[in-house]
DNA sequence: ATCGTGCATGACAGCGCTGTCATCCGTCAA
DNA sequence: TTGACGGATGACAGCGCTGTCATGCACGAT
């Protein structure tokens, strides 16, 4: 049953290269500590034998792994897959590898995964958001590896944070809508996770700052976001607030759905209805009319998170408690060109 | 520098539970071999001490890991993130974990990653596609763990395969377009990976079977797929083949771009231009007009791949060489309702 | 000639766990 | 009562690698 497919070991390489095992180990970990000739022989022996180090043995012996743990709510969400992409780009030229865990937006699952990840003594941990359970926060605070919270920047990072202010982004978008002459902007939200909550708060703040005292035009649902949900949310909104003349959507999927629903209802965009999304996925600019959105640098967040971890290992980089704001950019396109008439 | 954040070990649990270490190990691996009382004490001790097993030590001692290696070209592609989602759902109720590697469509990177993954003695390997380099194929064939090729079913799987025939899917879509009265269907393709090539071949076969001898209306590009690329490809197509009255798109992103570009050009869909995508992402049904597509069960592929690996470990499941066809479904929607007039 | 210094290398032990075999004990058939 | 048997538990060694020290050597300073 347990057929041993003979793995070449470090010792076998050592024999072939006529050095001791420890020298082979050094040639791999810190080549500069090994003489050029020895290194040469070892390199050849490794190639000849097709040797690949055993990460488990290395981890056990050294007490550390080259693994970066990544905790995100879900992989089937454009936002997180962009972040993940950035993370992979960040580790590309290193020996690091990624251990991905998905929490499904459950704090309990998150806590469990943190425990599992920490048991592997990772090189670093990247977690999405700032809403860890108290126990999870404690675990992370006591972890002896860099911990980077991504997606948003909060008041006090556990260790490091990279993200943006979703509140500010939504407020800017709201100001933009008002600026363009929309008089009754609404907010549509799905999957109301903490970041969505913050966007909603930013929307309300934007309305408040403009001195509008009208009704609170907000339609949200805990359902996961999707394009078809965008269609339904617009229908809901118009049923409840027929006067709404612009929507700030929690994310771009909803915005696309809103666009399609508006087309079905012959509501001219942007003349009768302004539409603004959040994240600025690639499709937004290609839509007809092109859809406005708040651009966020998701790829950069992932890459930067890895960068911070690597800096920390190099002894440089920002100190504990540093939050890096990657900001956002308002991409004003035709879908929010303003009311006509 | 190297502060030892004291990890509780299995031996400490053993002391606390007043049993030998090996019994604790057994209580974790195969609880039925341990008496109820001992199990009870051990469980409590584990909880009290917050013990988490060290996977590296376990891997080293047992010669295996509970890791499933997953090799996909890219994470920032809806198709693969759906598959990944399925994989995570597949392992949800097990002790398995996922090790993800992205090849960026490079056979060399793939080969390297296969080597790295195999060095961890994984419980299984899931690789996208059938186009491994000869060396990679050999590695996989000799791996002593189940290997599942996903995305498509080919002539001879290395071990197991789960997927669908992209050729048949595209042929069915082409037949559908012709069926609905479109006389000059074209094919638009981006990121012409092997699966896209197969779809193109299926398109041509569909045309051939219908006895059309017209020009080969095909526009492809090696660029990665995107919505805006769909816009550009339609522009290209119309410049070269103004008579084209329907497009089969390599994937749904392109189809969406085509729809937007058609709107910009005031080409009525489906009257003047039929549009069909591939994969049937959620947005297709929500579009206006709703877009036809070939539905593929990407989530199911991931789940099934894991299922096969778990079956194999249980000693059941299909034998080496089995290819599981998950099929496809033509979702005919308004975007291919046919020419008018 | 003597010593210290720095570099390249090696010996040794052990990381935390599990495979293998051995041991122990209670139970039941003869 | 005896022996066989099976279930529960334990002792031992070792997985492949690296941390820690120790060693050997060539070199220049004294």
């Amino acid at each position: 049953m347990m057929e041993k497919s003979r793995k070449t070991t470090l010792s076998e390489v050592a024999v072939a290269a006529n050095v001791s095992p420890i020298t082979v180990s050094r040639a791999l970990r810190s080549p500069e500590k090994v003489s050029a000739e020895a290194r040469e022989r070892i390199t050849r022996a490794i190639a000849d034998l097709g040797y690949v180090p055993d990460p488990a043995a290395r981890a056990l012996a050294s007490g550390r792994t080259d693994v970066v743990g990544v905790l995100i709510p879900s992989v089937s969400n454009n936002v997180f897959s962009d972040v993940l992409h950035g993370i992979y780009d960040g580790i590309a030229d290193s020996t690091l590898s990624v251990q991905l865990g998905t929490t499904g937006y459950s704090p309990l699952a998150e806590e469990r995964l943190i425990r599992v990840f920490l048991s592997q003594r990772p090189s670093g941990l990247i977690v999405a958001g700032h809403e860890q359970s108290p126990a999870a926060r404690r675990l992370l605070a006591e972890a002896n590896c860099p911990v980077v919270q991504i997606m948003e920047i909060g008041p006090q990072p556990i260790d490091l944070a990279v993200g943006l202010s979703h509140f500010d982004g939504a407020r800017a978008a709201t100001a933009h809508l008002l600026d363009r002459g929309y008089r009754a902007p609404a907010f549509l939200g799905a999957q109301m996770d903490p970041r969505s909550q913050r966007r909603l708060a930013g929307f309300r703040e934007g309305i408040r700052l403009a001195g509008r005292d009208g009704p609170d035009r907000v339609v949200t649902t805990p359902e996961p976001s999707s394009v078809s949900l965008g269609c339904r949310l617009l229908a809901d909104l118009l049923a409840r607030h027929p006067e709404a003349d612009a929507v700030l959507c929690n994310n771009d999927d909803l915005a696309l759905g809103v666009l399609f629903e508006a087309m079905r209802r012959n509501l001219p965009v942007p003349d009768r209805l302004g539409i603004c999304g959040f994240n600025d996925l690639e499709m937004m600019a290609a839509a007809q009319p092109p859809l406005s959105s708040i651009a966020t640098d998701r790829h950069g967040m992932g890459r930067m998170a890895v960068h911070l971890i690597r800096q920390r290992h190099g002894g440089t980089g920002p100190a504990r408690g540093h939050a890096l704001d990657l900001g956002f950019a308002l991409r004003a396109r035709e879908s929010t060109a303003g009311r006509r008439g």
Side-chain angles (χ1 to χ4, degrees), chain A:
Chain A
M1 189 169 185
M2 261 259 32
E3 69 254 339
K4 292 256 155 216
S5 81
R6 282 305 299 132
K7 271 198 52 161
T8 18
T9 68
L10 187 144
S11 315
E12 292 166 350
V13 174
V15 170
N18 198 29
V19 293
S20 75
I22 191 67
T23 304
V24 178
S25 172
R26 267 194 287 259
L28 291 167
R29 304 303 279 162
S30 27
E32 75 283 0
K33 290 188 183 165
V34 174
S35 68
E37 310 94 79
R39 219 181 318 164
E40 162 69 14
R41 268 175 295 143
I42 291 169
T43 312
R44 183 168 16 248
I46 287 176
D48 287 354
L49 300 173
Y51 168 72
V52 182
D54 182 330
R58 175 174 287 178
L60 187 57
S62 71
R64 15 173 264 93
T65 57
D66 280 349
V67 169
V68 174
V70 176
L71 278 175
I72 57 176
S74 152
V75 282
S76 57
N77 178 322
N78 286 318
V79 173
F80 295 116
S81 55
D82 287 346
V83 171
L84 207 49
H85 194 184
I87 289 174
Y88 274 92
D89 284 354
I91 63 160
D93 62 337
S94 73
T95 57
L96 294 174
S97 73
V98 170
Q99 175 79 23
L100 177 65
T102 58
T103 66
Y105 295 95
S106 148
L108 246 75
E110 182 171 60
E111 196 179 314
R112 196 176 50 75
L113 281 167
I114 289 173
R115 234 178 270 277
V116 170
F117 280 17
L118 285 179
S119 78
Q120 323 200 14
R121 312 192 207 79
S123 285
L125 234 42
I126 299 176
V127 300
H130 287 247
E131 270 63 34
Q132 290 75 29
S133 71
R137 265 192 95 86
R138 201 170 329 112
L139 283 170
L140 291 173
E142 289 168 3
N144 62 11
C145 70
V147 174
V148 186
Q149 291 167 292
I150 55 170
M151 302 315 293
E152 56 183 325
I153 49 170
Q156 31 188 5
I158 295 174
D159 181 0
L160 297 165
V162 186
L164 66 126
S165 164
H166 295 252
F167 181 91
D168 290 351
R171 192 176 50 182
T174 309
H176 166 69
L177 291 174
L178 293 167
D179 223 47
R180 290 297 168 95
Y182 295 104
R183 295 181 210 126
F187 181 92
L188 298 187
Q191 184 107 57
M192 293 302 286
D193 62 27
R195 284 165 296 285
S196 304
Q197 303 281 7
R198 231 88 74 202
R199 290 176 199 164
L200 171 52
F203 167 78
R204 286 186 170 134
E205 174 75 357
I207 298 287
R208 200 187 60 74
L209 285 177
R212 305 295 169 104
D213 286 337
D216 189 41
R217 295 185 198 87
V218 171
V219 180
T220 65
T221 155
E223 282 178 72
S225 179
S226 71
V227 179
S228 55
L229 186 57
C231 303
R232 275 183 282 144
L233 288 180
L234 179 62
D236 271 21
L237 173 69
L238 294 177
R240 293 194 218 171
H241 303 282
E243 80 285 5
D245 62 357
V247 289
L248 171 56
C249 298
N250 189 32
N251 64 44
D252 291 340
D253 285 343
L254 294 185
L256 185 60
V258 166
L259 172 61
F260 287 136
E261 186 64 21
M263 286 167 58
R264 257 187 285 278
R265 290 165 176 254
N266 287 312
L267 295 178
V269 174
D271 299 343
R272 162 66 182 83
L273 186 73
I275 303 177
C276 185
F278 205 107
N279 278 324
D280 198 32
L281 300 185
E282 180 268 338
M283 66 184 178
M284 299 301 271
Q288 171 57 25
L291 292 166
S292 301
S293 195
I294 299 292
T296 59
D297 187 5
R298 303 171 299 285
H299 186 273
M301 271 183 238
R303 212 160 29 74
M304 185 52 74
V306 173
H307 184 67
L308 289 174
I309 289 171
R310 294 177 70 176
Q311 276 193 325
R312 178 66 67 79
H313 282 276
T316 58
R320 214 156 213 280
H322 189 81
L324 190 56
D325 189 349
L326 256 43
F328 59 88
L330 171 65
R331 301 266 184 262
R333 304 202 178 91
E334 197 186 325
S335 73
T336 53
R339 297 190 59 122
R340 183 154 60 198

